[in-house]
Amino acid sequence: MTQTRSSRRVPRGEKRRDEIAAVAERVFLERGYSETTMQHIADYAGASKETLYRHFGCKGTLFSEVMRRRSSEVMSGEEDGALCGSPPEVLFSLALNLLHLLTRADSLRLYRVVVAETPREPELGRIFYGQGPGRILTRLTDYLDETGKKGELNVPNPSLAARLFIGSVTTFHQIQGLAMQATFPDAELQIHAREAVALFLARYGA
Amino acid sequence: MTQTRSSRRVPRGEKRRDEIAAVAERVFLERGYSETTMQHIADYAGASKETLYRHFGCKGTLFSEVMRRRSSEVMSGEEDGALCGSPPEVLFSLALNLLHLLTRADSLRLYRVVVAETPREPELGRIFYGQGPGRILTRLTDYLDETGKKGELNVPNPSLAARLFIGSVTTFHQIQGLAMQATFPDAELQIHAREAVALFLARYGA
DNA sequence: CGATAACCGAACTCGTGGGTACAGTTAATA
DNA sequence: TATTAACTGTACCCACGAGTTCGGTTATCG
């Protein structure tokens, strides 16, 4: 009857490390870097501070590792297959996926933390950009380039066109999510996506 | 010879208050809320902590007041006259002004702080949005609406069109500024602005 | 000139959080 | 089942920052 804690087998080694990292990710995303204490993470994970420090050395390292990994998975799941299909279909589906992705609460939280902590941790910003916006930009640029060469679109400057499209899709919902904690009904996202595609095709359609 | 300090007449009352607020604004923008200490502000202002607390009560109040005022002046100077002129001119000039505004270091700093501190201070986000992006959106929407009625443009949904335009102009430069500390030559901003206008007019031109 | 209220500097309290130490417990492995 | 390394919990150290206090200085106003 010495079962003080919640009768749970506590794993060792890498498994424990991963559990703690997962908890730390959640807490950092919810409260930001400086509002998160190591004790808080330890409590949530049912761990002791000593274990945190044995695995990660210090708070900054834990934060970096965890946010870095998360930044590398911004797009996980969504939008992984290569862009293919007719331009209207591809663009609409990309637009809708983007809107869904970046109005999700945890995406906004990640963006918030990255923006806030990049001055203290410049590499974090670069990783996030490369894995998130940068990757999408590259893929869309490639798609526009190829499609242009096939004559299905008329896009003199694919990279510029891609930036304009992605911007037109995402900006306002993101700003409103960040600054006003706004949420959006799916119908509105669909209308927005549809019109963004129409705008794009009005100039770059073949 | 008791002239320890830098032989400067230190004003009293409101003037001193304003000096301190100005210093606090700079420091908060540079270091964020939690990385800024009251002592640091006091040192920069050549003031004592007691004076800070007499004028502002506590750190949170000082931060709120100073960031709130700053948020209300996001657009000061730029873009204050009513939008008027032919659509291509108005749109191009708006686009260029926006790009200049939000690639400026202090604009990025303000945005960064607002995004970071909005969870702790929701009103800050609302004020910023209302005085910054929201105001621009409203003004452009009104302009598009009027111009549409005059038959110079064909804009069924002015608010949506305005969001698409502003987004296409701003997004990527802002993200790159925030996450990569990138800077941009003026020529690039001009090209971007020009193409954003062309894109818009391809769909909404009369 | 005074008088006085605002100011400064410095020393203080107090809570908190990063990080460490240690004694007891438990999962893993042979 | 015996051994051991990894774990937990607690108590601890130390630095630092918010906010206060106070004696001395100085701008301001009559």
Side-chain angles (χ1 to χ4, degrees):
Chain A
M1 279 308 172
T2 341
Q3 202 74 8
T4 312
R5 296 202 43 74
S6 56
S7 66
R8 163 180 184 280
R9 261 179 94 89
V10 174
R12 304 272 159 115
E14 286 304 307
K15 260 192 265 297
R16 191 70 179 120
R17 194 188 147 95
D18 292 346
E19 287 183 359
I20 292 172
V23 169
E25 180 185 309
R26 269 183 34 222
V27 179
F28 277 131
L29 285 180
E30 267 166 26
R31 330 230 317 184
Y33 181 74
S34 35
E35 297 299 315
T36 297
T37 74
M38 293 298 262
Q39 188 62 58
H40 193 174
I41 295 174
D43 291 346
Y44 257 73
S48 77
K49 286 193 350 178
E50 189 177 336
T51 306
L52 267 66
Y53 282 99
R54 185 160 9 87
H55 281 307
F56 301 99
C58 70
K59 187 186 181 185
T61 305
L62 173 55
F63 176 78
S64 284
E65 173 171 335
V66 136
M67 286 299 113
R68 202 167 295 199
R69 171 158 50 189
R70 176 56 188 257
S71 293
S72 306
E73 295 166 353
V74 200
M75 299 192 55
S76 71
E78 345 245 342
E79 270 312 307
D80 248 353
L83 261 31
C84 62
S86 75
E89 286 164 10
V90 167
L91 292 172
F92 180 74
S93 135
L94 174 62
L96 208 51
N97 279 334
L98 282 180
L99 284 171
H100 283 143
L101 174 63
L102 60 74
T103 54
R104 262 171 36 201
D106 59 340
S107 301
L108 289 174
R109 278 197 274 263
L110 177 61
Y111 190 72
R112 204 186 290 278
V113 171
V114 168
V115 166
E117 299 306 327
T118 286
R120 225 179 30 80
E121 189 80 22
E123 209 185 332
L124 179 59
R126 285 195 293 272
I127 294 174
F128 174 82
Y129 179 83
Q131 298 299 323
R135 209 161 92 196
I136 299 173
L137 176 60
T138 302
R139 300 223 342 254
L140 180 55
T141 300
D142 291 347
Y143 174 80
L144 295 179
D145 200 21
E146 291 165 18
T147 316
K149 282 173 183 153
K150 281 192 279 182
E152 299 176 35
L153 287 175
N154 177 22
V155 191
N157 186 337
S159 169
L160 179 51
R163 287 200 297 270
L164 293 169
F165 178 72
I166 296 171
S168 74
V169 170
T170 57
T171 298
F172 261 90
H173 292 86
Q174 180 162 33
I175 290 186
Q176 289 184 339
L178 288 171
M180 322 256 296
Q181 290 153 287
T183 58
F184 311 93
D186 195 70
E188 185 190 322
L189 301 185
Q190 298 227 11
I191 293 175
H192 190 96
R194 202 152 29 230
E195 184 64 14
V197 173
L199 173 61
F200 185 90
L201 292 176
R203 175 152 179 86
Y204 302 116
Chain B
M1 279 307 171
T2 339
Q3 202 76 4
T4 311
R5 296 201 43 73
S6 56
S7 67
R8 162 179 183 279
R9 261 179 94 89
V10 174
R12 304 269 159 116
E14 286 305 307
K15 259 191 265 300
R16 191 68 177 122
R17 194 189 146 96
D18 292 346
E19 286 184 359
I20 292 172
V23 169
E25 179 185 309
R26 269 182 32 219
V27 179
F28 276 131
L29 285 181
E30 265 166 28
R31 330 232 317 185
Y33 180 75
S34 34
E35 297 298 316
T36 296
T37 74
M38 292 297 264
Q39 188 62 58
H40 193 171
I41 295 174
D43 291 347
Y44 257 72
S48 78
K49 290 202 322 181
E50 188 180 349
T51 307
L52 267 68
Y53 282 100
R54 187 163 5 91
H55 280 308
F56 301 99
C58 71
K59 188 185 178 183
T61 305
L62 174 56
F63 177 78
S64 284
E65 173 171 334
V66 135
M67 286 299 112
R68 201 167 297 199
R69 172 160 48 189
R70 177 55 190 256
S71 293
S72 306
E73 295 167 353
V74 199
M75 300 192 53
S76 71
E78 346 245 341
E79 269 314 305
D80 249 353
L83 259 32
C84 62
S86 76
E89 286 165 9
V90 167
L91 292 171
F92 180 73
S93 135
L94 174 62
L96 207 52
N97 279 334
L98 281 180
L99 284 171
H100 282 143
L101 174 63
L102 58 75
T103 53
R104 261 171 37 199
D106 58 341
S107 301
L108 290 173
R109 278 198 273 263
L110 177 60
Y111 190 73
R112 204 186 290 278
V113 170
V114 168
V115 166
E117 298 306 327
T118 286
R120 224 179 31 80
E121 189 80 23
E123 208 185 333
L124 179 60
R126 285 196 292 275
I127 294 174
F128 175 82
Y129 179 83
Q131 297 298 323
R135 209 161 92 195
I136 298 172
L137 176 59
T138 302
R139 300 224 339 256
L140 180 56
T141 301
D142 290 349
Y143 174 80
L144 295 179
D145 200 21
E146 291 165 17
T147 316
K149 282 174 184 153
K150 281 192 278 181
E152 298 177 35
L153 287 176
N154 176 23
V155 190
N157 186 337
S159 169
L160 179 51
R163 286 200 298 270
L164 293 169
F165 179 71
I166 296 170
S168 74
V169 170
T170 59
T171 297
F172 260 90
H173 291 86
Q174 179 161 34
I175 290 186
Q176 289 184 340
L178 288 170
M180 321 258 296
Q181 291 154 282
T183 57
F184 310 94
D186 195 69
E188 186 190 321
L189 301 185
Q190 298 227 10
I191 293 175
H192 190 96
R194 203 153 28 228
E195 185 64 15
V197 173
L199 174 61
F200 185 90
L201 292 176
R203 176 152 177 87
Y204 302 117

